[in-house]
Amino acid sequence: MYYSLKENGLSLDEILQITGGEAHNFPAKPMYIYGVCTDTRKEPKDSIFIALRGENFDGHGFVEAAYALGAKCAVTEKEYDTDKPYIVVKNTLTAYGRIAGAYRKKFNIPAIAVTGSVGKTTTKEAICATLGAKYKVCKTKENHNNEVGLPQTLLSIDSSHKIAVVEMGMSAMGEISALSRLTCPDISVITNIGTSHIEFLGSRENIMKAKLEVLDGMSDDGILIINGDDDMLKNVTNTAQFCVRVGIDDKRCYFRATNIKYAENGTTFDIVCPDEAIKDLLIPSIGRHSVYAAAFAVACGVICGLDENEIRRGLASYVPADMRQNITRREKYTKIEDCYNASPESMRASIDVLKFLADKDGGRTVAVLGEMRELGAHAPALHKSVGEYAAKNADALFLFGDNENVRALADGYYAGGKVPIMLGDDAAAAVNTIKQNIKDGDVLLFKASRAVMLEKLSEKL
């Protein structure tokens, strides 16, 4: 039985076969590695060091350091003057993925892939919480949802895990296809088709094509779970995999959330499906987007054999990931920090949560917003649309930053008959302006793309 990479290891000969590379200085006797390392700061002892290249780094400059720290072998794209074992490949990132994919196949456990434009991490965490009531789950940590991060998740699987849940992100065609072929998911979840990364893909139609690449690594007897309310996904038909629709509005959805109620401790709802109804479920998060995540989690729970009590208990244990709907109540105001990322869809969802909390508390709705990245030529119009939505739902709008996108947010707010407060791009001055203008009882939302680092303002209030 294969227990784990740390216990059983991988032989250099096996890695050579997996990568299709060229061996240098291989020992006569079999040699095993017990870890895969891409960063010499993370204990490469007894591991194989993969010399990855990035925009701001090149692992080839750390090969000798890796050997000095105990690495047994390296995977590189060039030859070295060394007597240590190494493998030369055409592309180290491709080799890294192949090693992780081959390792994943050593474990006969189901895998669930989660992708979509908005809500991937929330949905992944809700699924993991739910399944965790019955199984030990190996899951994507932090933002490790790309061609570097996902292999790390796969390489962390061991024999104690009964299921794996991986998040898949992308910014271009072909990326999710590659991740899916490494993971070989049994179940794939697509949360929605929005406008994130439209700068690179050009249209929502292309974004949907890219998300549907998750099917490329699935067998025909896999299950595809999609948002049946999404105007793009609801038209997905004729997939080889069985398609399950999950939603709120469309009564044709197999799993449908009804009787939705928001409360201080989260959101309660019922799930109706043809065979049964599960009533009074709770996810400790507020908003319609949270209900979608919970509904996907319930669907995965039912498919994976959980009973109603396990689903209920698991879902109730959900904890939002860092910088996602972190609600803090202070003496004079309430703060919602949702600064991990932003798109037009997630902006509107967060504004909805802001309005719910303010209406409940009887306070003003105050939005502190910054720009949304990776929207390309669509950015001005999409920012203006968010500004218009804020005008309908926010009593006050503070805008951090000084560029065309921030001004487009302001234009939208002006179009709604309201005047925003422009903060500029000086963080210290922005904090002072916010402090001078907020009132007792206000509910404040902080939301922007991650690169804006809007949490720095939130932390100082």
Side-chain angles (χ1 to χ4, degrees):
M1 179 177 178
Y2 197 93
Y3 292 98
S4 69
L5 180 58
K6 188 174 182 179
E7 293 175 85
N8 299 91
L10 292 172
S11 73
L12 294 193
D13 288 337
E14 184 177 3
I15 293 173
L16 181 65
Q17 184 177 9
I18 291 168
T19 61
E22 181 181 276
H24 291 260
N25 305 326
F26 267 37
K29 294 182 179 180
M31 178 182 285
Y32 286 79
I33 59 94
Y34 297 92
V36 178
C37 178
T38 61
D39 186 338
T40 54
R41 296 170 296 183
K42 297 180 180 179
E43 296 192 24
K45 189 176 186 302
D46 293 331
S47 72
I48 187 165
F49 176 71
I50 314 292
L52 298 179
R53 298 182 190 271
E55 291 183 7
N56 302 309
F57 68 90
D58 187 350
H60 289 80
F62 297 90
V63 172
E64 292 301 332
Y67 285 135
L69 291 167
K72 289 187 172 182
C73 185
V75 176
T76 73
E77 294 175 6
K78 62 182 182 180
E79 295 187 8
Y80 279 84
D81 183 15
T82 180
D83 59 356
K84 302 290 187 181
Y86 68 99
I87 300 170
V88 177
V89 297
K90 291 182 179 179
N91 185 295
T92 52
L93 182 59
T94 300
Y96 180 42
R98 287 177 178 172
I99 293 169
Y103 178 79
R104 179 266 184 273
K105 291 181 175 66
K106 292 182 178 293
F107 300 91
N108 186 27
I109 62 172
I112 299 175
V114 181
T115 190
S117 294
V118 179
K120 293 186 293 295
T121 301
T122 299
T123 300
K124 180 258 298 182
E125 291 294 334
I127 292 170
C128 291
T130 302
L131 296 179
K134 183 171 185 175
Y135 305 114
K136 183 176 180 183
V137 180
C138 178
K139 70 174 184 176
T140 301
K141 296 179 180 179
E142 299 174 344
N143 63 338
H144 296 170
N145 64 3
N146 59 16
E147 54 195 353
V148 176
L150 185 138
Q152 292 179 24
T153 302
L154 298 181
L155 288 164
S156 69
I157 297 173
D158 64 42
S159 60
S160 71
H161 294 120
K162 304 305 177 186
I163 196 162
V165 181
V166 298
E167 181 179 332
M168 295 182 181
M170 62 89 199
S171 58
M173 290 288 190
E175 292 179 354
I176 287 181
S177 177
L179 299 180
S180 179
R181 293 176 191 277
L182 298 183
T183 306
C184 299
D186 301 274
I187 300 171
S188 288
V189 175
I190 306 180
T191 61
N192 48 52
I193 304 298
T195 50
S196 299
H197 308 302
I198 200 168
E199 174 183 8
F200 307 113
L201 292 165
S203 67
R204 288 182 70 218
E205 287 77 11
N206 284 340
I207 291 171
M208 184 168 75
K209 289 179 183 177
K211 298 300 183 184
L212 284 169
E213 288 176 0
V214 75
L215 301 177
D216 291 354
M218 295 181 69
S219 66
D220 289 352
D221 59 358
I223 297 175
L224 172 64
I225 305 176
I226 61 173
N227 185 332
D229 293 335
D230 187 275
D231 64 327
M232 303 285 289
L233 288 172
K234 67 168 52 179
N235 297 318
V236 171
T237 57
N238 299 324
T239 59
Q241 297 76 15
F242 183 69
C243 186
V244 175
R245 286 170 169 77
V246 172
I248 298 172
D249 301 322
D250 194 326
K251 293 182 179 180
R252 295 172 297 176
C253 290
Y254 192 90
F255 292 91
R256 189 165 71 92
T258 64
N259 196 26
I260 299 167
K261 297 176 183 177
Y262 303 139
E264 182 71 21
N265 65 334
T267 305
T268 60
F269 62 98
D270 301 337
I271 283 286
V272 177
C273 58
D275 299 328
E276 60 183 326
I278 306 176
K279 295 184 177 295
D280 298 320
L281 291 164
L282 167 70
I283 181 168
S285 182
I286 301 170
R288 183 179 171 93
H289 62 294
S290 299
V291 178
Y292 278 113
F296 284 124
V298 172
C300 288
V302 171
I303 291 168
C304 293
L306 275 68
D307 63 31
E308 181 177 327
N309 289 332
E310 289 167 334
I311 290 171
R312 188 182 306 280
R313 186 173 70 253
L315 190 61
S317 71
Y318 164 82
V319 177
D322 289 344
M323 289 189 288
R324 291 174 174 86
Q325 204 183 104
N326 183 6
I327 300 173
T328 306
R329 291 198 176 274
R330 299 292 176 87
E331 183 179 351
K332 295 184 177 181
Y333 59 87
T334 298
K335 185 172 64 172
I336 309 168
E337 187 179 284
D338 197 353
C339 303
Y340 183 77
N341 220 328
S343 67
E345 296 80 14
S346 67
M347 280 280 200
R348 287 190 282 270
S350 292
I351 290 171
D352 289 344
V353 173
L354 168 67
K355 190 172 189 308
F356 165 75
L357 287 178
D359 288 349
K360 180 178 179 296
D361 294 347
R364 292 193 311 162
T365 51
V366 179
V368 184
L369 306 182
E371 73 169 319
M372 302 170 285
R373 300 286 178 90
E374 298 184 354
L375 298 176
H378 301 267
L382 291 172
H383 279 83
K384 184 177 180 181
S385 72
V386 169
E388 292 170 347
Y389 195 79
K392 296 175 183 177
N393 297 282
D395 299 314
L397 175 64
F398 295 88
L399 294 174
F400 181 67
D402 183 15
N403 58 39
E404 179 185 16
N405 291 334
V406 175
R407 290 189 288 273
L409 282 167
D411 290 342
Y413 203 64
Y414 281 123
K418 295 182 178 179
V419 180
I421 298 175
M422 308 301 290
L423 297 173
D425 53 13
D426 184 308
V431 170
N432 289 332
T433 300
I434 294 170
K435 287 181 177 179
Q436 292 166 8
N437 286 275
I438 58 176
K439 302 176 181 179
D440 289 359
D442 283 351
V443 181
L444 284 72
L445 166 68
F446 290 81
K447 181 76 174 173
S449 279
R450 181 71 189 90
V452 178
M453 294 191 291
L454 201 60
E455 71 276 6
K456 299 299 182 183
L457 272 65
S458 173
E459 291 167 359
K460 294 177 181 179
L461 285 176

